[in-house]
């Protein structure tokens, strides 16, 4: 994993500080993370989720909002609108230096901010909120008696999480102008809502309000037993794993296809510095290969031998389907399981390959429908005629040449 400190300016000219996390290879997508109210980019949830997302192949930028952490500016001048402006500035930085963010993730009050920022960022395909209030005005209860002072004097000091913060009247006025129901209803992005039923800071009712006011596609995941700040790293890793799987549905064009001008000839495999994770492109299709965690991979996709087995299994199924249709055999479904292993030559009958071990592909075929015993046996014989079977059973010549990198 690559990690670096970055700086960029917001529209007010304040320098904001961030941390950029990148996988060793080409990122599956760029993610922008917004931290909770009065927190910083270094709050545990932000750090743990960012690091876990990198393990799943994503690049993540987490940064300090104006007046917090290492970012310039005064916190007393910030509002929900300035937080949104900071997110837009961060997105433009990513677009300028790397790639525009496709995913926004917001924790607590940061969740309210990403729901609003998404409207200004056409590159964003999906938004995830974690323990977020439906109405950002929810934070007013934290102000207590100080709210009256803030309204009368223009600003006031509030004790939050044991630390004093100065909050201005503009913050309250901005909250009062916000129409949270319309913001969520008009999101027009895939939405994933994480929330814990045990959250004592932002109740689970907020998750219901967000979910009910959002249009599809939308999903909800319960973070059972988690606290508001996701203090347990395991909860953050769980959020990252679910988010990575969920968002993959919305990152590529329909059916995982590439644009017409991105079609490739044959199959192209590309791997970066990330161990084992490999992007495969065939025609207009995008796939990912990896190795299991037991051998040092991250199990982000099938292994190379799994793809080999998949070739035989899919070709067998297609061949049997074509034969059944041609012969008018009533086959409702064909299922083919193929497993690869290596065995000692002496354990394999009729094996002529030299050496102590040979590769073996074990194929199991099952069929449902109104087939006679004779028809089932004939189908098994036809399985051996599938083109991939013939290729694997025949002589294969592999020719390799060195091509100049474009």
């Amino acid at each position: 994993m690559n990690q670096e400190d970055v700086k960029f300016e917001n529209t007010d000219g304040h320098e904001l500080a961030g941390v950029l996390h990148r996988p060793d290879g080409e990122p599956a997508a760029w993610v922008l993370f917004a931290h909770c109210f009065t927190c910083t980019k270094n709050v545990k949830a932000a750090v743990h989720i960012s690091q876990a997302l990198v393990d799943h192949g994503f690049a993540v930028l987490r940064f300090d909002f104006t007046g917090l952490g290492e970012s310039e500016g005064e916190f007393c001048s910030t509002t929900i609108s300035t937080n949104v402006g900071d997110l837009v500035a961060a997105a433009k930085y990513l677009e300028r230096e790397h790639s525009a963010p496709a995913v926004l993730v917001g924790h607590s009050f940061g969740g309210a901010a990403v729901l609003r920022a998404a409207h200004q960022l056409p590159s964003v395909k999906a938004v995830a909120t974690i323990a977020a209030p439906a109405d950002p005005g929810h934070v007013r209860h934290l102000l207590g008696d100080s709210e009256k002072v803030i309204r009368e004097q223009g600003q006031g000091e509030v004790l939050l999480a044991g630390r004093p913060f100065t909050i201005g009247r503009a913050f309250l006025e901005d909250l009062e102008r916000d129409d949270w129901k319309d913001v969520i209803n008009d999101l027009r992005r895939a939405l994933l809502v994480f929330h814990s039923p045990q959250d004592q800071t932002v109740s689970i009712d907020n998750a219901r309000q967000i979910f009910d006011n959002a249009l599809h596609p939308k999903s909800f995941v319960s973070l059972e037993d988690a606290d508001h700040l996701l203090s347990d790293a395991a909860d953050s890793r769980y959020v990252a794993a679910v988010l990575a799987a969920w968002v993959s549905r919305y990152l590529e064009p329909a059916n995982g296809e590439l644009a017409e001008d991105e079609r490739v000839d044959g199959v192209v495999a590309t791997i970066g510095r990330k161990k084992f994770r490999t992007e495969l492109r065939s025609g207009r299709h995008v796939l990912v290969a990896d190795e299991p965690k037991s051998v040092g991979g991250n199990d982000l996709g099938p292994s190379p031998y799994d793809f080999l087995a998949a070739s035989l299994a899919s070709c067998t199924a297609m061949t049997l389907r074509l034969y059944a249709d041609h012969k008018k055999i009533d086959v409702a479904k064909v299922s083919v399981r193929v497993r690869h292993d290596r065995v000692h030559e002496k354990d394999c009958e009729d094996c002529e390959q030299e050496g102590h071990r040979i590769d073996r592909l074990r194929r199991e075929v099952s069929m449902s429908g109104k087939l006679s015993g004779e028809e089932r046996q004939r189908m098994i014989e036809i399985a051996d005629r599938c083109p991939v079977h013939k290729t694997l059973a025949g002589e294969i010549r592999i020719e390799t040449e060195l091509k100049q990198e474009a």
Side-chain angles (χ1 to χ4, degrees):
M1 177 177 68
N2 302 307
Q3 179 176 318
E4 62 176 308
D5 295 331
V6 298
K7 303 274 189 182
F8 55 91
E9 286 190 356
N10 64 10
T11 54
D12 294 325
H14 294 136
E15 189 174 70
L16 305 183
V19 176
L20 194 66
H21 300 262
R22 286 184 293 174
D24 293 330
E26 185 68 21
W30 289 79
V31 180
L32 187 54
F33 190 100
H35 61 69
C36 50
F37 190 57
T38 72
C39 297
T40 72
K41 65 181 182 300
N42 295 324
V43 67
K44 285 183 178 180
V47 175
H48 293 156
I49 291 174
S50 297
Q51 292 174 340
L53 282 174
V54 171
D55 290 338
H56 290 279
F58 293 83
V60 185
L61 172 62
R62 53 184 170 92
F63 71 98
D64 293 323
F65 283 117
T66 298
L68 292 170
E70 300 174 283
S71 288
E72 295 179 347
E74 298 295 329
F75 181 75
C76 64
S77 65
T78 63
T79 65
I80 183 67
S81 294
T82 62
N83 281 354
V84 170
D86 287 350
L87 279 164
V88 173
K92 289 182 177 179
Y93 163 78
L94 284 178
E95 183 174 14
R96 185 172 61 251
E97 299 294 329
H98 302 283
S99 182
V103 186
L104 298 182
V105 180
H107 180 207
S108 192
F109 197 70
V114 298
L115 287 170
R116 287 147 184 80
H119 292 265
Q120 302 182 40
L121 300 172
S123 66
V124 172
K125 296 180 174 62
V127 177
T129 64
I130 306 166
D135 178 1
H138 172 86
V139 300
R140 288 174 52 186
H141 79 281
L142 299 175
L143 307 182
D145 296 337
S146 298
E147 181 174 347
K148 182 178 180 181
V149 175
I150 294 170
R151 292 187 183 279
E152 292 177 349
Q153 300 182 12
Q155 63 180 39
E157 188 173 275
V158 181
L159 195 65
L160 300 172
R163 293 185 298 154
F165 291 89
T166 300
I167 292 179
R169 183 191 297 135
F171 179 80
L172 295 175
E173 294 173 344
D174 198 32
L175 293 180
E176 291 168 353
R177 288 191 297 268
D178 185 80
D179 191 339
W180 64 270
K181 291 184 179 179
D182 284 348
V183 167
I184 297 171
N185 188 256
D186 294 337
L187 183 61
R188 300 297 191 272
R189 307 292 199 284
L191 175 65
L192 178 58
V193 180
F194 291 99
H195 216 110
S196 169
Q198 288 77 36
D199 195 325
Q200 299 298 308
T201 304
V202 179
S203 72
I204 189 68
D205 286 341
N206 286 269
R208 177 185 57 78
Q209 292 172 328
I210 293 174
F211 189 86
D212 286 349
N213 282 278
L215 300 178
H216 286 288
K218 58 182 178 180
S219 303
F220 170 75
V221 174
S222 177
L223 301 177
E224 197 70 28
D225 297 328
D227 60 23
H228 180 69
L229 292 177
L230 301 189
S231 302
D232 188 340
D235 292 323
S236 294
R237 289 193 293 269
Y238 174 74
V239 166
V242 172
L243 175 59
W246 171 84
V247 80
S248 63
R249 186 179 186 89
Y250 306 102
L251 294 180
E252 295 293 345
N255 300 320
E257 294 181 345
L258 299 169
E260 189 64 33
D261 59 358
E262 294 182 294
R263 291 182 68 97
V264 298
D265 182 24
V267 177
V268 177
T270 305
I271 190 169
R273 297 181 185 276
K274 185 71 174 179
K275 189 175 182 180
F276 294 131
R277 183 187 183 278
T278 304
E279 181 182 272
L280 302 172
R281 296 192 172 204
S282 174
R284 295 178 59 189
H285 305 286
V286 181
L287 303 167
V288 173
D290 203 346
E291 290 285 5
K293 291 184 178 180
S294 59
V295 295
N298 283 292
D299 201 23
L300 299 175
S303 71
Y305 276 108
D306 288 336
F307 276 111
L308 178 65
S311 296
L312 179 59
S314 58
C315 185
T316 301
M318 292 178 189
T319 299
L320 294 179
R321 178 75 269 164
L322 288 172
Y323 180 79
D325 291 346
H326 177 66
K327 294 295 186 179
K328 302 293 190 299
I329 301 175
D330 186 3
V331 177
K333 184 176 71 172
V334 175
S335 179
V336 182
R337 181 197 302 271
V338 176
R339 286 173 287 183
H340 168 268
D341 61 4
R342 289 190 175 91
V343 296
H344 286 285
E345 184 176 354
K346 64 181 181 180
D347 296 327
C348 177
E349 296 180 2
D350 301 322
C351 291
E352 299 179 357
Q353 182 176 336
E354 295 182 358
H356 298 293
R357 285 184 177 271
I358 65 165
D359 287 279
R360 177 176 64 177
L361 291 170
R362 290 180 291 165
R363 179 172 56 189
E364 299 172 358
V365 180
S366 62
M367 293 164 280
S368 63
K370 298 178 181 178
L371 295 85
S372 66
E374 184 180 345
E375 287 173 331
R376 289 179 183 276
Q377 184 57 44
R378 182 56 179 163
M379 291 281 281
I380 293 300
E381 294 172 1
I382 294 298
D384 289 345
R385 297 187 183 181
C386 97
V388 171
H389 180 116
K390 292 181 178 180
T391 298
L392 294 173
E395 182 178 350
I396 299 176
R397 177 179 298 175
I398 300 174
E399 300 177 353
T400 304
E401 61 177 301
L402 180 64
K403 301 284 287 187
Q404 288 295 110
E405 186 69 29

